[in-house]
Amino acid sequence: LGQTVSMTHALEGTVTSLHSDGGHNFSKPSIDEAVFLAGVGIEGDAHSGPTTQHLSRQKKDASRPNLRQVHLVASEIHAGLRSEGFEVPFGGFGENLTTQGIELGQLPVGSTLRLGDDVIIAGSVNNEQAKEIWPEGWKEPKPYIRIVPQPKG
């Protein structure tokens, strides 16, 4: 915790909390440390693995690559919701890392976040790429929330 996160274009932020859960639960409890495994995710986390670990995606095609091995949410999202009267604790969105000072939703796909010397996390989807995934669009009540239709099948 408190680890500085550097990006290739010299922006910096902080990891404010770390979370993991071996079960498929919505929220994840806080942990003090984690082992990050390349191409897998956080050791022991329900969503780690080289292929998709989300139960709804496994039903459709369990062999698809896992693009959500490590889930990040900005602490500013939590602060924004608190200011509107909603109390969502860190880990409450099922995130593994809660960050501060990084506009995660604005990072291009393929952006890398470096945690210390050994952990590099590549970003997977921003709004431009989301347009390709959900060409019919989505509702965006806040800049940090995308609501898309439930997948069929």
Side-chain angles (χ1 to χ4, degrees):
L1 299 180
Q3 179 73 49
T4 298
V5 179
S6 298
M7 294 185 291
T8 55
H9 52 283
L11 296 176
E12 289 192 357
T14 302
V15 173
T16 57
S17 62
L18 180 62
H19 310 273
S20 182
D21 190 349
H24 286 274
N25 302 303
F26 190 79
S27 297
K28 295 185 180 191
S30 294
I31 58 175
D32 293 326
E33 60 185 23
V35 175
F36 289 80
L37 302 173
V40 175
I42 294 180
E43 184 176 58
D45 189 74
H47 295 111
S48 66
T51 57
T52 187
Q53 300 298 307
H54 284 76
L55 299 177
S56 63
R57 293 183 185 341
Q58 282 184 334
K59 289 177 187 173
K60 188 171 184 176
D61 181 359
S63 67
R64 293 177 70 178
N66 187 359
L67 301 178
R68 294 166 179 86
Q69 294 170 342
V70 178
H71 184 189
L72 288 76
V73 171
S75 62
E76 291 84 357
I77 291 173
H78 291 275
L81 289 170
R82 273 194 303 278
S83 73
E84 294 183 26
F86 299 99
E87 187 56 43
V88 181
F90 290 163
F93 291 112
E95 73 266 25
N96 297 111
L97 300 173
T98 310
T99 64
Q100 184 174 25
I102 304 170
E103 291 193 35
L104 298 171
Q106 301 302 313
L107 296 176
V109 171
S111 295
T112 57
L113 301 176
R114 181 179 298 273
L115 281 66
D117 294 328
D118 299 323
V119 177
I120 298 175
I121 299 172
S124 58
V125 178
N126 68 16
N127 279 344
E128 288 304 310
Q129 288 75 29
K131 289 176 187 174
E132 295 175 23
I133 298 168
W134 300 288
E136 65 282 355
W138 57 84
K139 295 177 188 172
E140 192 170 336
K142 297 286 180 187
Y144 45 81
I145 298 174
R146 286 189 205 125
I147 301 173
V148 298
Q150 178 70 24
K152 295 179 179 150

